[in-house]
mmCIF file of all heavy atoms in Angstrom:
data_model
loop_
_atom_site.group_PDB
_atom_site.id
_atom_site.type_symbol
_atom_site.label_atom_id
_atom_site.label_comp_id
_atom_site.label_asym_id
_atom_site.label_seq_id
_atom_site.Cartn_x
_atom_site.Cartn_y
_atom_site.Cartn_z
ATOM 1 N N PRO A 1 -13.751 2.855 10.079
ATOM 2 C CA PRO A 1 -14.616 2.924 11.265
ATOM 3 C C PRO A 1 -14.471 1.679 12.092
ATOM 4 O O PRO A 1 -14.080 0.630 11.600
ATOM 5 C CB PRO A 1 -16.019 3.042 10.692
ATOM 6 C CG PRO A 1 -15.949 2.317 9.398
ATOM 7 C CD PRO A 1 -14.556 2.554 8.869
ATOM 8 N N ARG A 2 -14.835 1.774 13.344
ATOM 9 C CA ARG A 2 -14.859 0.598 14.190
ATOM 10 C C ARG A 2 -16.227 -0.111 14.146
ATOM 11 O O ARG A 2 -16.324 -1.233 14.607
ATOM 12 C CB ARG A 2 -14.524 0.974 15.622
ATOM 13 C CG ARG A 2 -13.090 1.550 15.803
ATOM 14 C CD ARG A 2 -12.045 0.523 15.372
ATOM 15 N NE ARG A 2 -10.704 1.023 15.451
ATOM 16 C CZ ARG A 2 -9.936 0.953 16.533
ATOM 17 N NH1 ARG A 2 -10.401 0.396 17.614
ATOM 18 N NH2 ARG A 2 -8.725 1.443 16.516
ATOM 19 N N HIS A 3 -17.226 0.582 13.603
ATOM 20 C CA HIS A 3 -18.551 0.031 13.635
ATOM 21 C C HIS A 3 -19.366 0.517 12.431
ATOM 22 O O HIS A 3 -19.370 1.685 12.095
ATOM 23 C CB HIS A 3 -19.268 0.465 14.934
ATOM 24 C CG HIS A 3 -20.519 -0.288 15.222
ATOM 25 N ND1 HIS A 3 -21.436 0.146 16.159
ATOM 26 C CD2 HIS A 3 -21.040 -1.426 14.687
ATOM 27 C CE1 HIS A 3 -22.455 -0.703 16.167
ATOM 28 N NE2 HIS A 3 -22.207 -1.640 15.295
ATOM 29 N N ALA A 4 -20.055 -0.422 11.790
ATOM 30 C CA ALA A 4 -20.983 -0.114 10.720
ATOM 31 C C ALA A 4 -22.328 -0.740 11.038
ATOM 32 O O ALA A 4 -22.402 -1.785 11.685
ATOM 33 C CB ALA A 4 -20.466 -0.646 9.377
ATOM 34 N N VAL A 5 -23.382 -0.077 10.578
ATOM 35 C CA VAL A 5 -24.740 -0.617 10.720
ATOM 36 C C VAL A 5 -25.310 -0.786 9.320
ATOM 37 O O VAL A 5 -25.284 0.121 8.500
ATOM 38 C CB VAL A 5 -25.642 0.312 11.530
ATOM 39 C CG1 VAL A 5 -27.098 -0.173 11.505
ATOM 40 C CG2 VAL A 5 -25.158 0.411 12.969
ATOM 41 N N VAL A 6 -25.808 -1.999 9.026
ATOM 42 C CA VAL A 6 -26.446 -2.302 7.749
ATOM 43 C C VAL A 6 -27.887 -2.668 8.019
ATOM 44 O O VAL A 6 -28.168 -3.604 8.781
ATOM 45 C CB VAL A 6 -25.727 -3.461 7.035
ATOM 46 C CG1 VAL A 6 -26.464 -3.789 5.721
ATOM 47 C CG2 VAL A 6 -24.281 -3.107 6.750
ATOM 48 N N ILE A 7 -28.813 -1.954 7.394
ATOM 49 C CA ILE A 7 -30.236 -2.231 7.539
ATOM 50 C C ILE A 7 -30.735 -2.876 6.274
ATOM 51 O O ILE A 7 -30.828 -2.215 5.213
ATOM 52 C CB ILE A 7 -31.010 -0.938 7.837
ATOM 53 C CG1 ILE A 7 -30.494 -0.278 9.117
ATOM 54 C CG2 ILE A 7 -32.509 -1.217 7.952
ATOM 55 C CD1 ILE A 7 -31.032 1.094 9.388
ATOM 56 N N GLY A 8 -31.004 -4.155 6.338
ATOM 57 C CA GLY A 8 -31.563 -4.881 5.207
ATOM 58 C C GLY A 8 -30.483 -5.407 4.265
ATOM 59 O O GLY A 8 -29.526 -4.709 3.960
ATOM 60 N N SER A 9 -30.662 -6.644 3.814
ATOM 61 C CA SER A 9 -29.806 -7.245 2.798
ATOM 62 C C SER A 9 -30.422 -8.561 2.378
ATOM 63 O O SER A 9 -30.693 -9.404 3.212
ATOM 64 C CB SER A 9 -28.384 -7.469 3.324
ATOM 65 O OG SER A 9 -27.550 -7.974 2.293
ATOM 66 N N TYR A 10 -30.606 -8.739 1.086
ATOM 67 C CA TYR A 10 -31.289 -9.935 0.590
ATOM 68 C C TYR A 10 -30.509 -11.190 0.955
ATOM 69 O O TYR A 10 -31.051 -12.133 1.549
ATOM 70 C CB TYR A 10 -31.485 -9.820 -0.924
ATOM 71 C CG TYR A 10 -32.172 -11.024 -1.536
ATOM 72 C CD1 TYR A 10 -33.463 -11.391 -1.121
ATOM 73 C CD2 TYR A 10 -31.549 -11.783 -2.510
ATOM 74 C CE1 TYR A 10 -34.107 -12.467 -1.683
ATOM 75 C CE2 TYR A 10 -32.190 -12.881 -3.077
ATOM 76 C CZ TYR A 10 -33.469 -13.228 -2.674
ATOM 77 O OH TYR A 10 -34.088 -14.310 -3.210
ATOM 78 N N ARG A 11 -29.208 -11.219 0.622
ATOM 79 C CA ARG A 11 -28.392 -12.396 0.942
ATOM 80 C C ARG A 11 -27.060 -12.009 1.573
ATOM 81 O O ARG A 11 -26.126 -12.790 1.592
ATOM 82 C CB ARG A 11 -28.134 -13.220 -0.324
ATOM 83 C CG ARG A 11 -29.392 -13.966 -0.842
ATOM 84 C CD ARG A 11 -29.836 -15.010 0.130
ATOM 85 N NE ARG A 11 -30.993 -15.778 -0.374
ATOM 86 C CZ ARG A 11 -32.249 -15.560 -0.027
ATOM 87 N NH1 ARG A 11 -32.551 -14.567 0.797
ATOM 88 N NH2 ARG A 11 -33.236 -16.311 -0.511
ATOM 89 N N GLY A 12 -26.989 -10.776 2.103
ATOM 90 C CA GLY A 12 -25.815 -10.419 2.909
ATOM 91 C C GLY A 12 -24.663 -9.821 2.165
ATOM 92 O O GLY A 12 -23.544 -9.746 2.715
ATOM 93 N N PHE A 13 -24.874 -9.353 0.952
ATOM 94 C CA PHE A 13 -23.764 -8.831 0.126
ATOM 95 C C PHE A 13 -23.048 -7.683 0.835
ATOM 96 O O PHE A 13 -21.795 -7.704 1.005
ATOM 97 C CB PHE A 13 -24.283 -8.355 -1.216
ATOM 98 C CG PHE A 13 -23.233 -7.750 -2.116
ATOM 99 C CD1 PHE A 13 -22.195 -8.520 -2.644
ATOM 100 C CD2 PHE A 13 -23.259 -6.401 -2.434
ATOM 101 C CE1 PHE A 13 -21.219 -7.969 -3.463
ATOM 102 C CE2 PHE A 13 -22.289 -5.833 -3.268
ATOM 103 C CZ PHE A 13 -21.270 -6.616 -3.747
ATOM 104 N N VAL A 14 -23.767 -6.688 1.287
ATOM 105 C CA VAL A 14 -23.130 -5.510 1.911
ATOM 106 C C VAL A 14 -22.504 -5.864 3.277
ATOM 107 O O VAL A 14 -21.350 -5.498 3.527
ATOM 108 C CB VAL A 14 -24.129 -4.339 2.022
ATOM 109 C CG1 VAL A 14 -23.484 -3.173 2.775
ATOM 110 C CG2 VAL A 14 -24.564 -3.879 0.627
ATOM 111 N N PRO A 15 -23.198 -6.571 4.179
ATOM 112 C CA PRO A 15 -22.520 -6.981 5.410
ATOM 113 C C PRO A 15 -21.232 -7.779 5.153
ATOM 114 O O PRO A 15 -20.233 -7.607 5.863
ATOM 115 C CB PRO A 15 -23.563 -7.824 6.135
ATOM 116 C CG PRO A 15 -24.850 -7.357 5.607
ATOM 117 C CD PRO A 15 -24.598 -6.990 4.176
ATOM 118 N N LEU A 16 -21.258 -8.630 4.118
ATOM 119 C CA LEU A 16 -20.086 -9.411 3.818
ATOM 120 C C LEU A 16 -18.927 -8.534 3.338
ATOM 121 O O LEU A 16 -17.773 -8.689 3.784
ATOM 122 C CB LEU A 16 -20.406 -10.441 2.718
ATOM 123 C CG LEU A 16 -21.095 -11.720 3.193
ATOM 124 C CD1 LEU A 16 -21.663 -12.489 2.016
ATOM 125 C CD2 LEU A 16 -20.131 -12.611 3.969
ATOM 126 N N VAL A 17 -19.205 -7.604 2.451
ATOM 127 C CA VAL A 17 -18.156 -6.728 1.913
ATOM 128 C C VAL A 17 -17.581 -5.858 3.044
ATOM 129 O O VAL A 17 -16.343 -5.734 3.166
ATOM 130 C CB VAL A 17 -18.695 -5.850 0.773
ATOM 131 C CG1 VAL A 17 -17.682 -4.787 0.378
ATOM 132 C CG2 VAL A 17 -19.041 -6.715 -0.433
ATOM 133 N N LEU A 18 -18.451 -5.278 3.837
ATOM 134 C CA LEU A 18 -17.957 -4.441 4.947
ATOM 135 C C LEU A 18 -17.224 -5.276 5.994
ATOM 136 O O LEU A 18 -16.181 -4.857 6.528
ATOM 137 C CB LEU A 18 -19.106 -3.692 5.579
ATOM 138 C CG LEU A 18 -19.801 -2.651 4.719
ATOM 139 C CD1 LEU A 18 -20.911 -1.928 5.514
ATOM 140 C CD2 LEU A 18 -18.819 -1.635 4.158
ATOM 141 N N GLY A 19 -17.740 -6.437 6.307
ATOM 142 C CA GLY A 19 -17.076 -7.291 7.254
ATOM 143 C C GLY A 19 -15.674 -7.698 6.821
ATOM 144 O O GLY A 19 -14.735 -7.673 7.606
ATOM 145 N N ARG A 20 -15.543 -8.027 5.531
ATOM 146 C CA ARG A 20 -14.213 -8.361 5.002
ATOM 147 C C ARG A 20 -13.279 -7.146 5.040
ATOM 148 O O ARG A 20 -12.092 -7.261 5.391
ATOM 149 C CB ARG A 20 -14.324 -8.885 3.569
ATOM 150 C CG ARG A 20 -13.000 -9.144 2.878
ATOM 151 C CD ARG A 20 -12.129 -10.087 3.670
ATOM 152 N NE ARG A 20 -12.697 -11.387 3.820
ATOM 153 C CZ ARG A 20 -12.537 -12.387 2.951
ATOM 154 N NH1 ARG A 20 -11.839 -12.239 1.861
ATOM 155 N NH2 ARG A 20 -13.103 -13.562 3.209
ATOM 156 N N ALA A 21 -13.784 -5.995 4.692
ATOM 157 C CA ALA A 21 -12.978 -4.752 4.737
ATOM 158 C C ALA A 21 -12.490 -4.466 6.142
ATOM 159 O O ALA A 21 -11.336 -4.111 6.378
ATOM 160 C CB ALA A 21 -13.754 -3.581 4.176
ATOM 161 N N PHE A 22 -13.376 -4.654 7.131
ATOM 162 C CA PHE A 22 -12.990 -4.410 8.517
ATOM 163 C C PHE A 22 -11.904 -5.386 8.958
ATOM 164 O O PHE A 22 -10.966 -5.022 9.674
ATOM 165 C CB PHE A 22 -14.221 -4.544 9.429
ATOM 166 C CG PHE A 22 -15.124 -3.343 9.396
ATOM 167 C CD1 PHE A 22 -14.935 -2.285 8.517
ATOM 168 C CD2 PHE A 22 -16.176 -3.250 10.292
ATOM 169 C CE1 PHE A 22 -15.763 -1.191 8.524
ATOM 170 C CE2 PHE A 22 -17.022 -2.151 10.313
ATOM 171 C CZ PHE A 22 -16.815 -1.113 9.418
ATOM 172 N N GLN A 23 -12.037 -6.638 8.534
ATOM 173 C CA GLN A 23 -10.987 -7.630 8.861
ATOM 174 C C GLN A 23 -9.673 -7.252 8.219
ATOM 175 O O GLN A 23 -8.624 -7.384 8.821
ATOM 176 C CB GLN A 23 -11.454 -9.010 8.431
ATOM 177 C CG GLN A 23 -12.570 -9.554 9.296
ATOM 178 C CD GLN A 23 -13.083 -10.922 8.891
ATOM 179 O OE1 GLN A 23 -13.973 -11.475 9.510
ATOM 180 N NE2 GLN A 23 -12.549 -11.498 7.835
ATOM 181 N N ASP A 24 -9.734 -6.756 6.984
ATOM 182 C CA ASP A 24 -8.513 -6.352 6.305
ATOM 183 C C ASP A 24 -7.908 -5.131 6.937
ATOM 184 O O ASP A 24 -6.689 -4.929 6.913
ATOM 185 C CB ASP A 24 -8.809 -6.078 4.824
ATOM 186 C CG ASP A 24 -9.126 -7.371 4.059
ATOM 187 O OD1 ASP A 24 -8.884 -8.458 4.571
ATOM 188 O OD2 ASP A 24 -9.671 -7.249 2.911
ATOM 189 N N ASN A 25 -8.739 -4.275 7.585
ATOM 190 C CA ASN A 25 -8.220 -3.124 8.300
ATOM 191 C C ASN A 25 -7.397 -3.567 9.512
ATOM 192 O O ASN A 25 -6.508 -2.853 9.979
ATOM 193 C CB ASN A 25 -9.364 -2.241 8.787
ATOM 194 C CG ASN A 25 -9.923 -1.356 7.673
ATOM 195 O OD1 ASN A 25 -9.310 -1.188 6.616
ATOM 196 N ND2 ASN A 25 -11.120 -0.795 7.916
ATOM 197 N N GLY A 26 -7.741 -4.728 10.096
ATOM 198 C CA GLY A 26 -7.008 -5.225 11.236
ATOM 199 C C GLY A 26 -7.250 -4.422 12.500
ATOM 200 O O GLY A 26 -6.409 -4.399 13.392
ATOM 201 N N GLU A 27 -8.421 -3.792 12.619
ATOM 202 C CA GLU A 27 -8.699 -2.916 13.764
ATOM 203 C C GLU A 27 -9.941 -3.347 14.515
ATOM 204 O O GLU A 27 -10.559 -2.537 15.218
ATOM 205 C CB GLU A 27 -8.791 -1.473 13.294
ATOM 206 C CG GLU A 27 -7.497 -0.949 12.690
ATOM 207 C CD GLU A 27 -7.627 0.418 12.031
ATOM 208 O OE1 GLU A 27 -8.755 0.943 11.956
ATOM 209 O OE2 GLU A 27 -6.592 0.951 11.588
ATOM 210 N N HIS A 28 -10.335 -4.602 14.397
ATOM 211 C CA HIS A 28 -11.439 -5.189 15.157
ATOM 212 C C HIS A 28 -12.783 -4.473 14.890
ATOM 213 O O HIS A 28 -13.611 -4.363 15.782
ATOM 214 C CB HIS A 28 -11.152 -5.180 16.655
ATOM 215 C CG HIS A 28 -9.819 -5.803 17.008
ATOM 216 N ND1 HIS A 28 -9.576 -7.141 16.868
ATOM 217 C CD2 HIS A 28 -8.639 -5.236 17.439
ATOM 218 C CE1 HIS A 28 -8.328 -7.397 17.231
ATOM 219 N NE2 HIS A 28 -7.749 -6.268 17.551
ATOM 220 N N GLY A 29 -12.973 -3.996 13.667
ATOM 221 C CA GLY A 29 -14.268 -3.385 13.327
ATOM 222 C C GLY A 29 -15.377 -4.429 13.304
ATOM 223 O O GLY A 29 -15.116 -5.628 13.076
ATOM 224 N N ARG A 30 -16.607 -3.964 13.552
ATOM 225 C CA ARG A 30 -17.724 -4.934 13.591
ATOM 226 C C ARG A 30 -18.912 -4.344 12.810
ATOM 227 O O ARG A 30 -19.056 -3.137 12.669
ATOM 228 C CB ARG A 30 -18.108 -5.225 15.042
ATOM 229 C CG ARG A 30 -18.534 -4.005 15.845
ATOM 230 C CD ARG A 30 -18.568 -4.298 17.346
ATOM 231 N NE ARG A 30 -18.870 -3.071 18.099
ATOM 232 C CZ ARG A 30 -20.085 -2.748 18.464
ATOM 233 N NH1 ARG A 30 -21.117 -3.496 18.163
ATOM 234 N NH2 ARG A 30 -20.287 -1.661 19.154
ATOM 235 N N VAL A 31 -19.738 -5.256 12.355
ATOM 236 C CA VAL A 31 -20.901 -4.888 11.561
ATOM 237 C C VAL A 31 -22.168 -5.333 12.293
ATOM 238 O O VAL A 31 -22.289 -6.526 12.645
ATOM 239 C CB VAL A 31 -20.876 -5.535 10.158
ATOM 240 C CG1 VAL A 31 -22.126 -5.151 9.384
ATOM 241 C CG2 VAL A 31 -19.643 -5.133 9.422
ATOM 242 N N THR A 32 -23.064 -4.386 12.560
ATOM 243 C CA THR A 32 -24.384 -4.715 13.100
ATOM 244 C C THR A 32 -25.333 -4.769 11.932
ATOM 245 O O THR A 32 -25.488 -3.805 11.196
ATOM 246 C CB THR A 32 -24.836 -3.657 14.117
ATOM 247 O OG1 THR A 32 -24.001 -3.727 15.292
ATOM 248 C CG2 THR A 32 -26.279 -3.877 14.526
ATOM 249 N N PHE A 33 -25.959 -5.911 11.737
ATOM 250 C CA PHE A 33 -26.817 -6.169 10.597
ATOM 251 C C PHE A 33 -28.258 -6.381 11.090
ATOM 252 O O PHE A 33 -28.531 -7.307 11.850
ATOM 253 C CB PHE A 33 -26.294 -7.399 9.858
ATOM 254 C CG PHE A 33 -27.202 -7.943 8.777
ATOM 255 C CD1 PHE A 33 -27.924 -7.108 7.916
ATOM 256 C CD2 PHE A 33 -27.313 -9.322 8.579
ATOM 257 C CE1 PHE A 33 -28.728 -7.611 6.936
ATOM 258 C CE2 PHE A 33 -28.128 -9.852 7.578
ATOM 259 C CZ PHE A 33 -28.830 -8.991 6.765
ATOM 260 N N VAL A 34 -29.160 -5.513 10.656
ATOM 261 C CA VAL A 34 -30.550 -5.525 11.094
ATOM 262 C C VAL A 34 -31.443 -5.937 9.935
ATOM 263 O O VAL A 34 -31.525 -5.217 8.941
ATOM 264 C CB VAL A 34 -30.984 -4.143 11.657
ATOM 265 C CG1 VAL A 34 -32.440 -4.190 12.132
ATOM 266 C CG2 VAL A 34 -30.045 -3.722 12.782
ATOM 267 N N ASP A 35 -32.075 -7.097 10.031
ATOM 268 C CA ASP A 35 -32.982 -7.556 8.971
ATOM 269 C C ASP A 35 -33.986 -8.524 9.594
ATOM 270 O O ASP A 35 -33.585 -9.552 10.166
ATOM 271 C CB ASP A 35 -32.194 -8.252 7.853
ATOM 272 C CG ASP A 35 -33.045 -8.555 6.629
ATOM 273 O OD1 ASP A 35 -34.075 -9.241 6.801
ATOM 274 O OD2 ASP A 35 -32.698 -8.098 5.539
ATOM 275 N N PRO A 36 -35.297 -8.249 9.474
ATOM 276 C CA PRO A 36 -36.295 -9.118 10.086
ATOM 277 C C PRO A 36 -36.611 -10.377 9.300
ATOM 278 O O PRO A 36 -37.453 -11.168 9.724
ATOM 279 C CB PRO A 36 -37.519 -8.211 10.164
ATOM 280 C CG PRO A 36 -37.361 -7.281 8.998
ATOM 281 C CD PRO A 36 -35.877 -7.034 8.865
ATOM 282 N N SER A 37 -35.998 -10.560 8.141
ATOM 283 C CA SER A 37 -36.201 -11.740 7.313
ATOM 284 C C SER A 37 -37.648 -11.846 6.837
ATOM 285 O O SER A 37 -38.278 -12.908 6.901
ATOM 286 C CB SER A 37 -35.799 -13.036 8.050
ATOM 287 O OG SER A 37 -35.505 -14.066 7.102
#
């Protein structure tokens, strides 16, 4: 995908994994991370 949305993450594990996967895809994918802390 070109875009993922992550709602909630204690220390960013899922945004980090998806962000790295998108970079490895080489297709400029981005992650929107929503967390009110």
Side-chain angles (χ1 to χ4, degrees):
R2 296 300 177 90
H3 193 194
V5 172
V6 177
I7 301 171
S9 183
Y10 180 60
R11 290 294 183 261
F13 178 68
V14 176
L16 280 166
V17 171
L18 294 182
R20 174 56 62 88
F22 281 8
Q23 289 179 179
D24 292 346
N25 282 344
E27 297 172 355
H28 308 291
R30 59 194 176 94
V31 179
T32 292
F33 170 39
V34 180
D35 189 304
S37 202

